[in-house]
Amino acid sequence: MTDSNSGVFDPQRALRFTEIPTFMRCGLTRNPAEADIALIGVPYDGGVTNRPGARHGPREIRNASSLMRTIHHVTRFNPFEACRVADLGDVRLSSMYDPAIVAEEIEAFFRAVLDAGAVPLAAGGDHSITYPILKALGRTGPVGLIHIDAHTDTWGPFQGCKFHHGAPFRLAVENGVLDPKRTVQIGIRGGQNITDGWDFSEQSGMRVIFMEEFTRLGVDAVITEARRVVGSGPTYISFDVDGLDPVYAPGTGTPEIGGITTIEAQALLRGLGGLNLVGADVVEVSPPFDPTGNTALVAATLMFELICLLAAKTD
């Protein structure tokens, strides 16, 4: 649609099936200095331990995000008017079969975004991408974390490799870029063959809210607890879509039944307003396991909620 006053074409108000499907139909740029909030795809799933396909996540989330509009129906907030939101494209990988090089290239990309003064919001990709993002964010001091997931992702090496999607937060703690005492993990569930990940999270000082406690406490109390844990320091939000029940997000690598509902997830994110947020991600969307496209739509909607949080902070 073209603005009748300025004559400028606005893709966010155009027919939603038209134009290039960028995240939220925002402008596309490779220059992070042109954004206050940088939307970034990380199409990598070399860290999965079972079902692959998350490399296709960013593209399908972009497609689904064409359904998003600009004004939040609860808050009436328009994040795209509050600040500059742009799609920076994807992290370009030169050696996608070498996880150590992939981690270096993701970290370098996000360092450049941060150096330009933009706040990153990433779409994965598997959860291994969050470790290099945290390395970029935590280079001057460890950050706090609100982590929504079915799994703690604090396991040790798998099949001889430490760069897998079950290890990012253990690696981040061990490398001093994540403060475990300012970390809360929400929605944890599902059986394991060993307790190593659960043990590391709890023994390092993380607040682990298993799904049964989440259900018992309710969303509002979990929000209060998350805000208490992270406090006023710099905080990152990482949302693995397998934190949701697979009836809402079947297209993911490691589904676990008995999870968070989409309306609970939206309420949880909305309750995090006013925190000192330095970035966020939505990960583990595997489109081949959901031919309906619903998982990508869920992820796009969660990204919109996160954009609103980040824009309110940068406004």
Side-chain angles (χ1 to χ4, degrees):
M1 179 182 292
T2 301
D3 187 289
S4 59
N5 295 318
S6 66
V8 176
F9 177 76
D10 181 1
Q12 289 184 311
R13 295 173 61 84
L15 296 170
R16 288 181 285 170
F17 52 85
T18 63
E19 299 299 317
I20 297 170
T22 60
F23 285 123
M24 314 294 159
R25 293 180 283 160
C26 290
L28 180 65
T29 180
R30 295 298 292 187
N31 181 4
E34 296 178 358
D36 298 310
I37 298 175
L39 310 180
I40 302 158
V42 191
Y44 175 74
D45 63 2
V48 299
T49 54
N50 186 20
R51 304 201 307 183
R55 68 184 65 182
H56 302 288
R59 179 169 291 189
E60 291 308 312
I61 295 170
R62 282 187 173 95
N63 287 336
S65 75
S66 295
L67 293 167
M68 299 299 103
R69 298 182 178 91
T70 57
I71 303 172
H72 196 288
H73 75 282
V74 174
T75 64
R76 306 300 172 94
F77 178 59
N78 184 336
F80 307 100
E81 288 183 347
C83 60
R84 300 172 302 164
V85 185
D87 188 332
L88 261 64
D90 289 344
V91 177
R92 295 172 179 171
L93 305 174
S94 67
S95 302
M96 67 174 295
Y97 297 110
D98 188 325
I101 293 177
V102 168
E104 291 173 358
E105 291 180 334
I106 294 172
E107 180 185 354
F109 188 100
F110 280 81
R111 278 179 176 256
V113 170
L114 295 166
D115 287 344
V119 177
L121 172 54
D126 70 52
H127 222 154
S128 68
I129 72 167
T130 306
Y131 169 54
I133 295 173
L134 289 174
K135 284 189 72 178
L137 283 162
R139 55 187 157 161
T140 59
V143 300
L145 174 70
I146 297 173
H147 171 209
I148 300 99
D149 201 326
H151 314 99
T152 60
D153 291 352
T154 48
W155 268 258
F158 179 79
Q159 291 285 297
C161 180
K162 66 179 182 178
F163 299 107
H164 61 87
H165 70 166
F169 305 115
R170 185 183 194 125
L171 293 174
V173 170
E174 291 175 342
N175 281 270
V177 296
L178 175 63
D179 183 351
K181 291 180 174 55
R182 292 188 54 246
T183 294
V184 57
Q185 301 185 302
I186 301 169
I188 308 303
R189 63 191 187 279
Q192 298 292 336
N193 292 323
I194 59 174
T195 64
D196 181 51
W198 301 333
D199 295 341
F200 181 91
S201 289
E202 292 174 337
Q203 292 169 8
S204 66
M206 295 182 183
R207 174 68 167 97
V208 182
I209 300 177
F210 282 83
M211 193 61 210
E212 290 71 20
E213 184 181 5
F214 179 96
T215 302
R216 186 173 68 254
L217 291 176
V219 174
D220 289 345
V222 171
I223 290 168
T224 299
E225 179 67 352
R227 298 180 70 95
R228 181 194 68 79
V229 171
V230 300
S232 60
T235 300
Y236 188 80
I237 300 175
S238 187
F239 201 120
D240 184 331
V241 295
D242 73 29
L244 301 169
D245 193 282
V247 301
Y248 305 101
T252 191
T254 316
E256 305 280 1
I257 71 162
I260 298 169
T261 70
T262 47
I263 197 165
E264 287 172 334
Q266 289 176 292
L268 176 59
L269 292 179
R270 291 170 196 163
L272 302 177
L275 294 176
N276 183 7
L277 300 176
V278 294
D281 63 46
V282 177
V283 298
E284 296 285 353
V285 173
S286 182
F289 288 99
D290 183 6
T292 71
N294 192 63
T295 307
L297 175 61
V298 167
T301 308
L302 295 175
M303 283 186 70
F304 176 72
E305 295 283 355
L306 289 166
I307 289 169
C308 289
L309 288 178
L310 298 174
K313 180 201 180 270
T314 59
D315 186 17

mmCIF file of all heavy atoms in Angstrom, residues 118-141:
data_model
loop_
_atom_site.group_PDB
_atom_site.id
_atom_site.type_symbol
_atom_site.label_atom_id
_atom_site.label_comp_id
_atom_site.label_asym_id
_atom_site.label_seq_id
_atom_site.Cartn_x
_atom_site.Cartn_y
_atom_site.Cartn_z
ATOM 1 N N ALA A 118 22.751 -2.073 17.467
ATOM 2 C CA ALA A 118 21.450 -2.707 17.276
ATOM 3 C C ALA A 118 21.242 -3.819 18.300
ATOM 4 O O ALA A 118 22.198 -4.426 18.786
ATOM 5 C CB ALA A 118 21.348 -3.277 15.861
ATOM 6 N N VAL A 119 19.988 -4.079 18.613
ATOM 7 C CA VAL A 119 19.612 -5.176 19.512
ATOM 8 C C VAL A 119 19.206 -6.361 18.642
ATOM 9 O O VAL A 119 18.304 -6.232 17.810
ATOM 10 C CB VAL A 119 18.458 -4.766 20.434
ATOM 11 C CG1 VAL A 119 18.033 -5.947 21.309
ATOM 12 C CG2 VAL A 119 18.852 -3.572 21.290
ATOM 13 N N PRO A 120 19.833 -7.527 18.812
ATOM 14 C CA PRO A 120 19.540 -8.651 17.922
ATOM 15 C C PRO A 120 18.353 -9.501 18.366
ATOM 16 O O PRO A 120 18.170 -9.771 19.547
ATOM 17 C CB PRO A 120 20.843 -9.471 17.990
ATOM 18 C CG PRO A 120 21.366 -9.220 19.372
ATOM 19 C CD PRO A 120 20.986 -7.793 19.701
ATOM 20 N N LEU A 121 17.565 -9.926 17.395
ATOM 21 C CA LEU A 121 16.518 -10.919 17.594
ATOM 22 C C LEU A 121 16.705 -11.969 16.512
ATOM 23 O O LEU A 121 16.505 -11.694 15.324
ATOM 24 C CB LEU A 121 15.130 -10.284 17.513
ATOM 25 C CG LEU A 121 13.928 -11.235 17.527
ATOM 26 C CD1 LEU A 121 13.966 -12.173 18.719
ATOM 27 C CD2 LEU A 121 12.620 -10.448 17.503
ATOM 28 N N ALA A 122 17.109 -13.171 16.917
ATOM 29 C CA ALA A 122 17.484 -14.213 15.966
ATOM 30 C C ALA A 122 16.393 -15.253 15.812
ATOM 31 O O ALA A 122 15.649 -15.543 16.750
ATOM 32 C CB ALA A 122 18.776 -14.890 16.420
ATOM 33 N N ALA A 123 16.330 -15.839 14.613
ATOM 34 C CA ALA A 123 15.473 -16.986 14.340
ATOM 35 C C ALA A 123 16.359 -18.137 13.891
ATOM 36 O O ALA A 123 17.110 -18.006 12.932
ATOM 37 C CB ALA A 123 14.449 -16.652 13.256
ATOM 38 N N GLY A 124 16.289 -19.241 14.650
ATOM 39 C CA GLY A 124 17.104 -20.397 14.303
ATOM 40 C C GLY A 124 16.367 -21.322 13.365
ATOM 41 O O GLY A 124 15.209 -21.089 13.021
ATOM 42 N N GLY A 125 17.121 -22.323 12.953
ATOM 43 C CA GLY A 125 18.332 -22.839 13.516
ATOM 44 C C GLY A 125 18.061 -23.611 14.814
ATOM 45 O O GLY A 125 17.075 -23.436 15.489
ATOM 46 N N ASP A 126 19.029 -24.511 15.077
ATOM 47 C CA ASP A 126 18.934 -25.262 16.324
ATOM 48 C C ASP A 126 19.507 -24.450 17.477
ATOM 49 O O ASP A 126 20.081 -23.382 17.289
ATOM 50 C CB ASP A 126 19.601 -26.636 16.185
ATOM 51 C CG ASP A 126 21.114 -26.586 16.082
ATOM 52 O OD1 ASP A 126 21.771 -25.955 16.941
ATOM 53 O OD2 ASP A 126 21.676 -27.206 15.154
ATOM 54 N N HIS A 127 19.369 -24.990 18.696
ATOM 55 C CA HIS A 127 19.713 -24.199 19.882
ATOM 56 C C HIS A 127 21.209 -24.015 20.078
ATOM 57 O O HIS A 127 21.625 -23.201 20.915
ATOM 58 C CB HIS A 127 19.077 -24.814 21.130
ATOM 59 C CG HIS A 127 18.501 -23.786 22.044
ATOM 60 N ND1 HIS A 127 17.469 -24.044 22.923
ATOM 61 C CD2 HIS A 127 18.794 -22.467 22.224
ATOM 62 C CE1 HIS A 127 17.169 -22.943 23.592
ATOM 63 N NE2 HIS A 127 17.963 -21.974 23.182
ATOM 64 N N SER A 128 22.024 -24.718 19.312
ATOM 65 C CA SER A 128 23.468 -24.498 19.433
ATOM 66 C C SER A 128 23.855 -23.087 19.023
ATOM 67 O O SER A 128 24.911 -22.587 19.429
ATOM 68 C CB SER A 128 24.246 -25.519 18.599
ATOM 69 O OG SER A 128 24.058 -25.314 17.206
ATOM 70 N N ILE A 129 23.017 -22.402 18.244
ATOM 71 C CA ILE A 129 23.356 -21.050 17.789
ATOM 72 C C ILE A 129 23.383 -20.044 18.929
ATOM 73 O O ILE A 129 24.000 -18.982 18.813
ATOM 74 C CB ILE A 129 22.398 -20.559 16.686
ATOM 75 C CG1 ILE A 129 21.008 -20.233 17.261
ATOM 76 C CG2 ILE A 129 22.299 -21.567 15.545
ATOM 77 C CD1 ILE A 129 20.111 -19.456 16.331
ATOM 78 N N THR A 130 22.717 -20.348 20.034
ATOM 79 C CA THR A 130 22.625 -19.376 21.120
ATOM 80 C C THR A 130 23.953 -19.206 21.847
ATOM 81 O O THR A 130 24.232 -18.118 22.374
ATOM 82 C CB THR A 130 21.517 -19.775 22.102
ATOM 83 O OG1 THR A 130 20.290 -19.958 21.382
ATOM 84 C CG2 THR A 130 21.289 -18.711 23.160
ATOM 85 N N TYR A 131 24.779 -20.242 21.882
ATOM 86 C CA TYR A 131 26.079 -20.110 22.554
ATOM 87 C C TYR A 131 26.942 -19.022 21.919
ATOM 88 O O TYR A 131 27.404 -18.114 22.637
ATOM 89 C CB TYR A 131 26.805 -21.449 22.573
ATOM 90 C CG TYR A 131 28.246 -21.358 22.999
ATOM 91 C CD1 TYR A 131 28.608 -20.760 24.203
ATOM 92 C CD2 TYR A 131 29.261 -21.851 22.186
ATOM 93 C CE1 TYR A 131 29.943 -20.659 24.586
ATOM 94 C CE2 TYR A 131 30.594 -21.762 22.562
ATOM 95 C CZ TYR A 131 30.928 -21.165 23.761
ATOM 96 O OH TYR A 131 32.243 -21.064 24.129
ATOM 97 N N PRO A 132 27.187 -19.024 20.600
ATOM 98 C CA PRO A 132 27.996 -17.928 20.052
ATOM 99 C C PRO A 132 27.337 -16.562 20.157
ATOM 100 O O PRO A 132 28.029 -15.541 20.252
ATOM 101 C CB PRO A 132 28.223 -18.345 18.594
ATOM 102 C CG PRO A 132 27.187 -19.370 18.301
ATOM 103 C CD PRO A 132 26.912 -20.061 19.594
ATOM 104 N N ILE A 133 25.999 -16.519 20.156
ATOM 105 C CA ILE A 133 25.322 -15.234 20.365
ATOM 106 C C ILE A 133 25.622 -14.715 21.764
ATOM 107 O O ILE A 133 25.942 -13.534 21.964
ATOM 108 C CB ILE A 133 23.810 -15.374 20.140
ATOM 109 C CG1 ILE A 133 23.503 -15.724 18.685
ATOM 110 C CG2 ILE A 133 23.087 -14.077 20.525
ATOM 111 C CD1 ILE A 133 22.044 -16.051 18.408
ATOM 112 N N LEU A 134 25.548 -15.602 22.758
ATOM 113 C CA LEU A 134 25.868 -15.196 24.128
ATOM 114 C C LEU A 134 27.336 -14.804 24.266
ATOM 115 O O LEU A 134 27.672 -13.910 25.058
ATOM 116 C CB LEU A 134 25.527 -16.325 25.099
ATOM 117 C CG LEU A 134 24.030 -16.591 25.311
ATOM 118 C CD1 LEU A 134 23.826 -17.836 26.175
ATOM 119 C CD2 LEU A 134 23.333 -15.391 25.938
ATOM 120 N N LYS A 135 28.221 -15.442 23.503
ATOM 121 C CA LYS A 135 29.632 -15.040 23.534
ATOM 122 C C LYS A 135 29.787 -13.602 23.053
ATOM 123 O O LYS A 135 30.581 -12.842 23.601
ATOM 124 C CB LYS A 135 30.478 -15.987 22.681
ATOM 125 C CG LYS A 135 30.758 -17.334 23.318
ATOM 126 C CD LYS A 135 31.771 -18.132 22.519
ATOM 127 C CE LYS A 135 33.181 -17.542 22.671
ATOM 128 N NZ LYS A 135 34.176 -18.347 21.920
ATOM 129 N N ALA A 136 29.032 -13.250 22.021
ATOM 130 C CA ALA A 136 29.097 -11.873 21.529
ATOM 131 C C ALA A 136 28.529 -10.896 22.551
ATOM 132 O O ALA A 136 29.104 -9.835 22.823
ATOM 133 C CB ALA A 136 28.344 -11.755 20.202
ATOM 134 N N LEU A 137 27.409 -11.262 23.160
ATOM 135 C CA LEU A 137 26.755 -10.390 24.128
ATOM 136 C C LEU A 137 27.537 -10.277 25.436
ATOM 137 O O LEU A 137 27.542 -9.222 26.074
ATOM 138 C CB LEU A 137 25.355 -10.908 24.436
ATOM 139 C CG LEU A 137 24.283 -10.648 23.383
ATOM 140 C CD1 LEU A 137 23.100 -11.579 23.600
ATOM 141 C CD2 LEU A 137 23.831 -9.194 23.435
ATOM 142 N N GLY A 138 28.181 -11.372 25.851
ATOM 143 C CA GLY A 138 28.815 -11.409 27.153
ATOM 144 C C GLY A 138 30.294 -11.105 27.160
ATOM 145 O O GLY A 138 30.969 -11.382 28.150
ATOM 146 N N ARG A 139 30.788 -10.500 26.109
ATOM 147 C CA ARG A 139 32.243 -10.274 26.033
ATOM 148 C C ARG A 139 32.740 -9.255 27.056
ATOM 149 O O ARG A 139 33.916 -9.269 27.430
ATOM 150 C CB ARG A 139 32.639 -9.832 24.618
ATOM 151 C CG ARG A 139 31.897 -8.622 24.115
ATOM 152 C CD ARG A 139 32.191 -8.326 22.653
ATOM 153 N NE ARG A 139 31.139 -7.557 22.035
ATOM 154 C CZ ARG A 139 31.279 -6.874 20.920
ATOM 155 N NH1 ARG A 139 32.445 -6.873 20.286
ATOM 156 N NH2 ARG A 139 30.267 -6.210 20.417
ATOM 157 N N THR A 140 31.846 -8.380 27.528
ATOM 158 C CA THR A 140 32.279 -7.407 28.538
ATOM 159 C C THR A 140 31.781 -7.769 29.935
ATOM 160 O O THR A 140 32.059 -7.068 30.897
ATOM 161 C CB THR A 140 31.773 -5.993 28.179
ATOM 162 O OG1 THR A 140 30.345 -6.003 28.103
ATOM 163 C CG2 THR A 140 32.351 -5.548 26.840
ATOM 164 N N GLY A 141 31.059 -8.868 30.036
ATOM 165 C CA GLY A 141 30.537 -9.313 31.326
ATOM 166 C C GLY A 141 29.380 -10.246 31.113
ATOM 167 O O GLY A 141 28.643 -10.118 30.131
#
